[in-house]
């Protein structure tokens, strides 16, 4: 099967690329802005017609879109997460043999959720920040495109390769510095919010399952369990061996949105997290189990231990 992967340079995209390239049943072509891509193309700046010509040359049966931006100004987020998606959908429609589209969305599209509940794909999206709004716009474009398409609405991604600006990337680096300098205390942000953490490698498996499935519409990809962010942070602290005092901020802060993509535009975006004032997030994952045959395999403790291992081994 011929597969065209977009966004292979991002956090999630790299893991998806690793997973696909190991599969002897797939012929994978990577399209993106980086020199390592098989085809150099800027989704946010290029035209649908130009992208359609690449599609005709590659003739993919499936297009996987992992491109996007998690950080930046509202304008940059819209360009990367909505305008680029419009280009992809229109290019597939114009191509000689329209491919199936597997698009990576975000749980930030849902916005606030009732405390203690698991959100269904049928829930009315009410995003609260520029990132969630831009990702929802991209999802709506996919759903309205008339293509054979599925949107994987991914929850809070953790695991090896986590970006340095993410919650656990910052915490792991803080722990490394504290251990190196013998600091007896480490200050943490307010971590009272609950999130549905899912390992990046499990998400890559969900993307692979979506390639072969007939699923369309929106499919939640998460663990199905909400965990207080402080409990997750404690797992990382234990993995590091830090035994000093942990001081948590009393004032609420915005937890970063899910960190899965990379900027799709031509210009670098401002390195500022798109935070969300959402105290509770949990996925109902029955659709993923029933339609993709997928479920999580990697526990949160292992995910965070691998985050620490990477950080500790960094030179």
């Amino acid at each position: 099967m011929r597969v065209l992967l977009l966004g292979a340079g991002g956090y999630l995209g790299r893991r998806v690329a690793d997973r696909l390239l190991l599969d002897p049943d797939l012929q994978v072509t990577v399209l993106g802005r980086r020199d390592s891509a098989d085809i150099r193309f800027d989704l946010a700046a290029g035209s649908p017609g130009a992208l359609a010509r690449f599609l005709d040359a590659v003739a993919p049966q499936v297009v996987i879109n992992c491109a996007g931006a998690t950080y930046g100004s509202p304008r940059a987020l819209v360009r990367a997460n909505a305008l680029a998606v419009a280009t992809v959908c229109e290019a597939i429609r114009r191509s000689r043999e329209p491919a199936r589209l597997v698009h990576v969305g975000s749980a930030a599209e849902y916005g606030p959720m009732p405390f203690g509940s698991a959100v269904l794909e049928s829930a009315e999206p009410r995003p609260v920040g520029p990132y969630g709004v831009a990702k929802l716009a991209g999802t709506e474009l996919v759903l309205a495109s008339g293509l054979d398409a599925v949107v994987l609405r991914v929850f809070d991604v953790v695991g090896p390769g986590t970006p340095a600006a993410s919650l656990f990337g910052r915490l792991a680096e803080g722990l490394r510095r504290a251990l190196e300098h013998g600091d007896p205390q480490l200050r943490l942000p307010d971590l009272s919010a609950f999130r549905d953490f899912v390992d990046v490698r499990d998400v890559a498996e969900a993307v692979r399952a979506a390639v072969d499935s007939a699923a369309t519409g929106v499919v939640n990809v998460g663990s199905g369990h909400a965990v207080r962010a402080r409990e997750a942070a404690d797992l990382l602290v234990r993995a590091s061996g830090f035994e000093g005092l942990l001081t948590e901020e009393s004032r609420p802060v915005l937890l970063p949105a899910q960190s899965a993509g990379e900027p799709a535009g031509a210009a670098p975006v401002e390195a500022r997290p798109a935070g969300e004032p959402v105290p509770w997030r949990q996925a109902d994952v029955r659709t993923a189990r029933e339609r993709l045959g997928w479920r999580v395999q990697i526990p949160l403790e292992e995910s965070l231990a691998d985050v620490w291992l990477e950080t500790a081994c960094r030179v």
Side-chain angles (χ1 to χ4, degrees), residues 113-159:
M113 302 174 188
F115 196 89
S117 66
V119 67
L120 291 161
E121 290 89 350
S122 57
E124 184 70 23
R126 300 183 186 276
V128 294
Y131 172 73
V133 170
K135 288 296 291 185
L136 178 60
T139 288
E140 294 295 339
L141 286 166
V142 171
L143 297 179
S145 67
L147 300 171
D148 173 13
V150 62
V151 176
L152 302 182
R153 195 165 269 166
V154 177
F155 280 64
D156 295 81
V157 186
V158 295

Side-chain angles (χ1 to χ4, degrees), residues 15-67:
R15 285 293 174 180
V16 171
D18 291 343
R19 172 64 183 87
L20 300 181
L21 290 169
L22 288 174
D23 196 323
D25 295 329
L26 301 180
Q27 179 183 321
V28 182
T29 302
V30 173
L31 180 145
R33 296 184 297 116
R34 304 193 178 197
D35 291 338
S36 57
D38 300 310
I39 300 172
R40 291 286 303 279
F41 191 84
D42 187 332
L43 291 174
S47 70
L51 181 56
R53 289 192 287 275
F54 283 124
L55 291 175
D56 287 340
V58 176
Q61 293 152 292
V62 178
V63 173
I64 300 172
N65 184 27
C66 294

Side-chain angles (χ1 to χ4, degrees), residues 118-304:
V119 67
L120 291 161
E121 290 89 350
S122 57
E124 184 70 23
R126 300 183 186 276
V128 294
Y131 172 73
V133 170
K135 288 296 291 185
L136 178 60
T139 288
E140 294 295 339
L141 286 166
V142 171
L143 297 179
S145 67
L147 300 171
D148 173 13
V150 62
V151 176
L152 302 182
R153 195 165 269 166
V154 177
F155 280 64
D156 295 81
V157 186
V158 295
T162 188
S166 70
L167 170 63
F168 295 117
R170 296 197 307 271
L171 177 54
E173 182 57 29
L175 287 165
R176 186 173 74 88
R177 289 198 303 268
L179 289 167
E180 285 180 350
H181 301 149
D183 296 337
Q185 180 176 334
L186 182 65
R187 297 183 66 85
L188 303 175
D190 177 88
L191 299 173
S192 59
F194 288 79
R195 290 290 184 266
D196 187 329
F197 298 108
V198 58
D199 192 275
V200 64
R201 293 159 291 191
D202 278 334
V203 178
E205 290 293 342
V207 171
R208 177 63 185 91
V211 168
D212 287 332
S213 80
T216 57
V218 175
V219 178
N220 288 338
V221 175
S223 70
H225 301 284
V227 176
R228 191 185 292 272
R230 178 55 188 270
E231 295 177 15
D234 285 343
L235 292 174
L236 182 54
V237 171
R238 286 204 295 270
S240 74
F242 179 76
E243 297 180 349
L245 178 65
L246 299 175
T247 305
E248 190 171 334
E249 296 285 350
S250 58
R251 61 184 179 85
V253 297
L254 301 185
L255 284 183
Q258 155 235 332
S259 303
E262 67 163 349
V269 299
E270 178 185 349
R272 177 167 53 85
E276 300 172 278
V278 177
W280 175 273
R281 185 148 68 200
Q282 179 179 336
D284 185 305
V285 293
R286 286 175 292 181
T287 301
R289 291 173 181 171
E290 294 166 2
R291 305 200 63 191
L292 302 183
W294 172 89
R295 63 181 65 228
V296 295
Q297 300 293 327
I298 301 173
L300 181 57
E301 184 174 9
E302 180 179 340
S303 298
L304 293 171

